[in-house]
Amino acid sequence: MDELDALRLMRTGLALEEPPERLAQRIDWRDERDARDARDDGAKERPRRGLRLRLRPRVPLLTLAAATVAATVAIALVAAQDDEGPAPGPGGENGPRPGNVLLAAAVSAQKAPSGKYWHVKTVSGEVYAVGKSASKHYKVDSRQGNEMWTDRNGLRRTAHIELPDIPLTAADRRKWQAAGSPEWVDVPNPEGGGEAQLDMSASSTGRSPAPPSPDERFYAMTPRQIAELPTDPKALENALLGLKDYWRAVSKDGVGPEPMRALRGEERVRALTDVAGTLLSTAPAPPEVRAAVFRMLANQPGVRDEGQTTDPLGRRGTAVSLPLKTTTALGVYTAPKQLGTYRRQFILNPDTGTLLAIRDLVADPPRGSRKLPPGDDGQPRSLRAEDMPDRFHRSGELASYQAFAVTEWTNTEPPH
């Protein structure tokens, strides 16, 4: 799903509130828009203009200790045969599934050429409501871009692409223009403490290369381990069930990384589809593994074909929905900071075997409030529905996304 981390992202509904002391141990409460996504695209901190805050899409953020654990946990790539699969999702085992679409995508993915580098270009966005009321507001797409080249040894080169925030639709653009086309627009700070601003100026563009990262991991898997994943869909699922991480939206106090196979029902489906999204996008999976991922998804209960749609970059594709009513991101950082719930879609092109985008739609708009641990100044804080970016969204409206403008194996050398 930085990127919807990314996005967004988006996972399972909060069943209980995690104790603040537990959050304080494993969560850095800095604004997530100043942090690098620990799993994905490595967006770098962007410059600020004075005291004005340039907001970023939500990303999960591991503390140093948690990141160290995630990078060193054992991975059972050849796992024991699991004796209990996911419980049936909505619609039951015989409900509608997008088998034909996903299986067609698998055939196309398997025919794709290989190469020296896995090249990915992403655009991630989060939709903010600008205005004071549901009847008088417009929506702005706050965007970030990244471009990455990863070789088979795990060396990654990344460039962060600065993008201006833009009105979401033509109607939103007319409202923004009627307001005088301001270059900076005010939005509530989701964490409280006054207002923040979105940068809509045409000058907020640029490209910032980052130093090479020599040992890139994806859910603690190296590119070599990803290349060795099984190409049989059931065997692939069984291998992924051995991955250890913080899979649950809310973790119990004292519980560290655990194998995915410890999950059941929708929690397991959510975790599997999370890893599947990474293997189909930012991870350097070879064509045969990508094909197996599509076939594995086709076997998951409750996964549905929702027909033709347009992705956030304007490309036509097929929407495949996951059987989850979700909050964002796995409880490591963002899930405890959500007051609404969301449902996730993959948008894919079966003819090319590519994942075009991951899109998160509002299921239940935010409501109520929740306490947060004190800020750096020691003052109490809380989440409030009136401060959420999607406070005026209706069910079914876009909340956030991660679009993949380029996903390809290439022999072209990356720029230095």
Side-chain angles (χ1 to χ4, degrees):
M1 102 183 176
D2 332 85
E3 311 248 353
L4 226 261
D5 124 168
L7 28 109
R8 351 99 322 219
L9 319 174
M10 307 186 203
R11 313 295 206 271
T12 184
L14 292 173
L16 52 95
E17 176 64 22
E18 187 168 17
E21 61 271 18
R22 171 64 176 158
L23 287 172
Q25 290 173 1
R26 67 180 179 84
I27 296 175
D28 179 355
W29 287 98
R30 296 173 300 170
D31 194 306
E32 64 269 36
R33 297 164 183 88
D34 290 336
R36 176 183 175 181
D37 183 344
R39 291 185 181 132
D40 253 337
D41 298 330
K44 300 301 177 182
E45 184 173 347
R46 59 167 60 185
R48 298 187 181 186
R49 304 183 181 183
L51 297 178
R52 296 182 292 186
L53 177 65
R54 172 71 155 94
L55 291 175
R56 291 182 174 180
R58 301 183 181 97
V59 298
L61 176 65
L62 292 170
T63 59
L64 179 60
T68 302
V69 171
T72 58
V73 293
I75 304 171
L77 290 178
V78 181
Q81 181 65 33
D82 189 42
D83 59 358
E84 182 178 349
E93 287 290 346
N94 297 320
R97 294 189 191 178
N100 290 340
V101 172
L102 289 166
L103 294 178
V107 172
S108 300
Q110 195 160 347
K111 296 177 181 178
S114 189
K116 185 177 179 182
Y117 298 99
W118 180 244
H119 176 212
V120 183
K121 187 173 184 180
T122 68
V123 178
S124 299
E126 184 169 7
V127 179
Y128 285 82
V130 178
K132 300 297 184 182
S133 69
S135 61
K136 296 182 179 180
H137 79 279
Y138 57 89
K139 294 180 176 65
V140 170
D141 181 1
S142 181
R143 307 178 299 163
Q144 292 288 300
N146 285 285
E147 191 164 15
M148 296 150 286
W149 292 262
T150 308
D151 70 16
R152 296 177 184 274
N153 295 317
L155 178 65
R156 169 177 276 194
R157 292 184 175 88
T158 302
H160 176 65
I161 304 169
E162 197 79 18
L163 298 170
D165 300 330
I166 59 174
L168 183 64
T169 67
D172 293 316
R173 177 169 294 278
R174 288 192 292 270
K175 293 179 181 179
W176 172 67
Q177 292 171 336
S181 303
E183 291 189 348
W184 289 85
V185 296
D186 295 330
V187 293
N189 185 339
E191 295 186 34
E195 289 191 326
Q197 291 187 315
L198 302 180
D199 186 356
M200 303 183 69
S201 62
S203 61
S204 61
T205 59
R207 186 181 183 87
S208 304
S213 174
D215 187 25
E216 199 67 31
R217 303 284 178 116
F218 305 84
Y219 290 98
M221 291 184 290
T222 66
R224 189 175 300 277
Q225 289 171 319
I226 291 173
E228 294 173 353
L229 285 169
T231 56
D232 173 80
K234 186 58 180 178
L236 173 63
E237 178 177 335
N238 205 36
L240 298 182
L241 291 176
L243 296 176
K244 290 185 177 181
D245 209 324
Y246 292 96
W247 299 115
R248 302 180 190 271
V250 178
S251 300
K252 295 181 180 179
D253 190 22
V255 175
E258 59 184 332
M260 193 190 301
R261 69 178 64 256
L263 307 178
R264 291 292 181 265
E266 285 193 356
E267 277 198 315
R268 181 183 286 190
V269 176
R270 171 191 47 73
L272 277 170
T273 54
D274 233 29
V275 178
T278 295
L279 291 173
L280 292 174
S281 58
T282 55
E288 297 81 3
V289 172
R290 291 168 56 82
V293 172
F294 280 121
R295 294 186 175 107
M296 181 190 74
L297 285 173
N299 290 331
Q300 298 307 307
V303 176
R304 295 172 181 267
D305 180 351
E306 294 195 345
Q308 292 291 300
T309 189
T310 301
D311 84 341
L313 301 184
R315 299 170 296 182
R316 295 294 293 172
T318 301
V320 174
S321 68
L322 310 184
L324 311 169
K325 187 177 180 181
T326 66
T327 59
T328 73
L330 296 180
V332 175
Y333 183 64
T334 34
K337 301 174 69 176
Q338 295 305 296
L339 296 175
T341 58
Y342 307 87
R343 66 186 187 93
R344 169 154 290 184
Q345 291 178 329
F346 287 177
I347 301 176
L348 56 94
N349 183 339
D351 295 332
T352 59
T354 54
L355 177 63
L356 300 178
I358 299 173
R359 181 168 66 182
D360 295 284
L361 308 176
V362 172
D364 295 318
R367 58 173 59 87
S369 63
R370 182 183 302 126
K371 290 183 179 180
L372 294 177
D376 294 338
D377 58 3
Q379 297 300 309
R381 299 185 302 160
S382 65
L383 296 177
R384 303 183 304 169
E386 55 264 36
D387 294 334
M388 295 293 101
D390 53 341
R391 62 197 180 281
F392 300 138
H393 281 42
R394 297 176 181 175
S395 296
E397 291 187 332
L398 180 66
S400 57
Y401 65 87
Q402 186 177 19
F404 309 104
V406 177
T407 51
E408 64 179 5
W409 283 100
T410 180
N411 291 317
T412 302
E413 292 292 325
H416 294 280

